[in-house]
Amino acid sequence: MTQPADRLGGSGSGDGPVADELRLLPGSRSTDRKVEAGQELFGVGAPFDAVYNLIDGWVALYTLLEDGRRQIVQFVLPGGVFGMCGGSSGRTTYGAQALTEALVSVVSLAVLTARLRDSPDVTARLVRSLSRDRALAFDHLTSVGRRNARERVACLILELFVRCRTQWPGNRIEEMYLPLTQEHIGDATGLTFVHVNRVLRALRKEGVVEFHHRRLRILDPDRLVGVAGVDHNAAMAWL
């Protein structure tokens, strides 16, 4: 197993040129905040007063129904920007929870507004991030609405594999740290734990993927793409 794959799990320090490339505001470390695994960064309905830029680790964004059921709407990887609110209420419509130890740059709205006005590069970074997030959201909606259980799980695994691998283009990662439980996968795909377990066992038996103790091993990438039913253009939109 290569070091970069483990680094994506949240073991890095957030220092150095690689981390700087992941920052919405390059060179700024004064607003960095370390978060423990399982800690909430903010909850549903929290005041919208800052934007969060993940430098290291994994974060899940989720919504809640009145009865407590949870839908994970996105897994944020290093470089991701979240916490932005599109409504007029001034409060977030989703929550954010760290899945691993994480390093997050918390950028106040006042600072972000000033930088967007004075720095076209920061504006371009933010636009690219929002564009990618929209593409991911559309694909997740398609999965929950139209794909069957087998396709949903395969598509999610493929998405996370592609997004992780492209952060380290010089490494051929066939095994990666995936800090998710089967419950997380179920919350992201709209499936029960039992259904997720059944699909993963079938994919392992067929020699497609193996997911055990939060390690994901891609046994047959081509077959995984076929099971997920994802074309090249859709996969490129995840990057």
Side-chain angles (χ1 to χ4, degrees), residues 1-12 18 56 58 78 164-165 167-173 175-177 215:
M1 186 60 197
T2 60
Q3 169 112 10
D6 284 329
R7 170 69 165 71
L8 286 167
S11 59
V18 173
D56 194 40
W58 288 61
C164 284
R165 184 168 180 171
Q167 293 208 358
W168 303 98
N171 293 272
R172 296 186 58 81
I173 301 172
E175 181 179 340
M176 58 176 279
Y177 174 62
R215 307 295 303 192

Side-chain angles (χ1 to χ4, degrees), residues 1-9 58 157 160-162 164-165 168 171-179 208-221 224:
M1 186 60 197
T2 60
Q3 169 112 10
D6 284 329
R7 170 69 165 71
L8 286 167
W58 288 61
I157 289 173
L160 295 175
F161 173 70
V162 168
C164 284
R165 184 168 180 171
W168 303 98
N171 293 272
R172 296 186 58 81
I173 301 172
E174 295 179 351
E175 181 179 340
M176 58 176 279
Y177 174 62
L178 186 65
V208 181
V209 300
E210 186 174 67
F211 180 50
H212 187 59
H213 292 313
R214 302 195 176 189
R215 307 295 303 192
L216 173 67
R217 185 182 178 197
I218 308 298
L219 304 174
D220 192 331
L224 178 60

Side-chain angles (χ1 to χ4, degrees), residues 53-91:
N53 177 200
L54 183 63
I55 308 303
D56 194 40
W58 288 61
V59 169
L61 307 183
Y62 65 88
T63 58
L64 289 174
L65 299 181
E66 288 186 2
D67 60 5
R69 284 178 293 170
R70 181 176 70 166
Q71 176 71 43
I72 293 178
V73 295
Q74 186 174 327
F75 294 106
V76 185
L77 273 60
V81 178
F82 59 99
M84 290 168 284
C85 177
S88 58
S89 67
R91 294 185 176 274

Side-chain angles (χ1 to χ4, degrees), residues 150 153-154 157 199-209 227:
R150 179 181 170 88
V153 173
I157 289 173
V199 170
L200 288 173
R201 281 192 287 109
L203 292 175
R204 181 177 68 249
K205 185 176 181 180
E206 295 166 20
V208 181
V209 300
V227 173

Side-chain angles (χ1 to χ4, degrees), residues 7-212:
R7 170 69 165 71
L8 286 167
S11 59
S13 64
D15 295 326
V18 173
D20 217 42
E21 291 176 3
L22 300 173
R23 292 180 181 276
L24 180 61
L25 304 182
S28 175
R29 294 185 174 86
S30 61
T31 61
D32 285 358
R33 170 182 165 193
K34 291 185 177 181
V35 183
E36 298 296 324
Q39 183 178 339
E40 296 277 323
L41 282 83
F42 56 83
V44 179
F48 171 50
D49 53 12
V51 168
Y52 296 74
N53 177 200
L54 183 63
I55 308 303
D56 194 40
W58 288 61
V59 169
L61 307 183
Y62 65 88
T63 58
L64 289 174
L65 299 181
E66 288 186 2
D67 60 5
R69 284 178 293 170
R70 181 176 70 166
Q71 176 71 43
I72 293 178
V73 295
Q74 186 174 327
F75 294 106
V76 185
L77 273 60
V81 178
F82 59 99
M84 290 168 284
C85 177
S88 58
S89 67
R91 294 185 176 274
T92 59
T93 57
Y94 58 87
Q97 181 184 43
L99 297 177
T100 66
E101 291 184 359
L103 182 68
V104 183
S105 176
V106 184
V107 184
S108 71
L109 289 183
V111 170
L112 180 61
T113 300
R115 290 295 295 269
L116 291 177
R117 183 174 56 247
D118 300 333
S119 176
D121 289 343
V122 173
T123 302
R125 281 175 180 248
L126 186 57
V127 169
R128 285 196 298 270
S129 178
L130 291 172
S131 178
R132 181 198 60 204
D133 288 351
R134 185 182 67 172
L136 287 170
F138 285 176
D139 198 60
H140 296 166
L141 178 62
T142 301
S143 277
V144 173
R146 292 299 180 183
R147 291 186 175 111
N148 61 37
R150 179 181 170 88
E151 292 168 338
R152 291 185 208 178
V153 173
C155 190
L156 178 63
I157 289 173
L158 179 63
E159 175 205 314
L160 295 175
F161 173 70
V162 168
R163 289 172 62 196
C164 284
R165 184 168 180 171
T166 52
Q167 293 208 358
W168 303 98
N171 293 272
R172 296 186 58 81
I173 301 172
E174 295 179 351
E175 181 179 340
M176 58 176 279
Y177 174 62
L178 186 65
L180 308 183
T181 64
Q182 292 187 20
E183 183 179 4
H184 289 135
I185 295 174
D187 285 347
T189 57
L191 300 170
T192 65
F193 170 87
V194 173
H195 216 152
V196 171
N197 182 267
R198 185 181 301 127
V199 170
L200 288 173
R201 281 192 287 109
L203 292 175
R204 181 177 68 249
K205 185 176 181 180
E206 295 166 20
V208 181
V209 300
E210 186 174 67
F211 180 50
H212 187 59

